[in-house]
Amino acid sequence: MLLVGGWLGLVLAVAPAAPVATVPAPINVRQQAVLDELNLARTAPLKYVEYLKDHRSRFKGNLFIGTAGVRFKTREGVAAVDEAIAALSKQPPLAALRFSAGLALAALDHVQDTGPKGLVSHEGSDGTNSAARIRRYGEVRNFSGECISYGLYEARQIVIQLIIDDGTADRGHRRSIYNARFQLAGIACGQHQAFKNMCVIDFAAAYKEDPQAIRKRQAK
């Protein structure tokens, strides 16, 4: 858990396998930026090594001092960055993720529910988890996952922090980004009462979307 720079979380839900099914969806500028960064990290991990090296150069002890006034204290300092660089240097390129309207709405539900309340959890204020939110807009085929970033706004900063995964022993967020079985992603970013910004990313290996449920939610 990053106390200042961004707390990140991961949840996996398992279900039977089946083909992917999606419906067309609008995607806003911020969602597109995060998706583009995720896909750059997946398809060109060695390119992301260069970004991590630049990120590493901005540390003073465990304090990261970035551009545009971004600064936060990490738990592991450059050690976690070095470990991420080593991992990505051996990471094979993966296929790009496709945007999913249903997954994005599940992510948006969590942003709009927990952000104004200042909650820091995968559990919604009504007790629902990411799997339940995803099921509102379709049927998960195989398995799904969720990552959450708090405190960061720019897409590259969000993805870099997920990849470094400072303070998370199993580097579960990095494993989620580099999970070859994930084919779809939905993204929603917004305001958070305590950390100012939050961004939820929901992933699925396959997802049969419910067009009626999606259109009903989009109309709100």
Side-chain angles (χ1 to χ4, degrees), residues 28-113:
N28 65 38
V29 172
R30 198 167 175 203
Q31 288 171 318
Q32 186 68 62
V34 175
L35 182 65
D36 288 346
E37 285 298 319
L38 287 169
N39 284 335
L40 179 58
R42 280 172 63 96
T43 62
L46 290 181
K47 179 69 175 178
Y48 243 77
V49 166
E50 297 306 312
Y51 299 151
L52 291 173
K53 288 179 179 178
D54 177 71
H55 186 86
R56 187 190 191 283
S57 71
R58 299 174 186 273
F59 276 80
K60 288 188 177 180
N62 281 15
L63 182 67
F64 174 79
I65 304 173
T67 58
V70 175
R71 56 191 295 142
F72 52 85
K73 187 176 182 180
T74 66
R75 290 185 176 182
E76 301 176 66
V78 297
V81 185
D82 289 341
E83 194 269 336
I85 289 171
L88 265 62
S89 296
K90 300 181 290 185
Q91 172 64 48
L94 300 176
L97 297 162
R98 300 191 305 280
F99 184 78
S100 162
L103 293 176
L105 290 175
L108 180 62
D109 283 352
H110 200 50
V111 171
Q112 293 182 340
D113 172 33

Side-chain angles (χ1 to χ4, degrees), residues 75-155:
R75 290 185 176 182
E76 301 176 66
V78 297
V81 185
D82 289 341
E83 194 269 336
I85 289 171
L88 265 62
S89 296
K90 300 181 290 185
Q91 172 64 48
L94 300 176
L97 297 162
R98 300 191 305 280
F99 184 78
S100 162
L103 293 176
L105 290 175
L108 180 62
D109 283 352
H110 200 50
V111 171
Q112 293 182 340
D113 172 33
T114 62
K117 300 177 179 72
L119 302 178
V120 181
S121 176
H122 286 284
E123 185 175 288
S125 63
D126 60 356
T128 56
N129 59 22
S130 64
R133 293 187 292 272
I134 289 170
R135 286 196 299 269
R136 292 171 184 168
Y137 306 108
E139 181 183 352
V140 176
R141 307 290 182 88
N142 205 326
F143 65 100
S144 66
E146 179 174 90
C147 293
I148 308 177
S149 169
Y150 296 91
L152 300 172
Y153 181 85
E154 293 183 4

Side-chain angles (χ1 to χ4, degrees), residues 10-14 129-131 143-146 172 175-176 179 182 203:
L10 172 70
V11 174
L12 291 177
V14 179
N129 59 22
S130 64
F143 65 100
S144 66
E146 179 174 90
R175 290 192 294 106
S176 189
N179 188 325
F182 282 145
F203 300 92

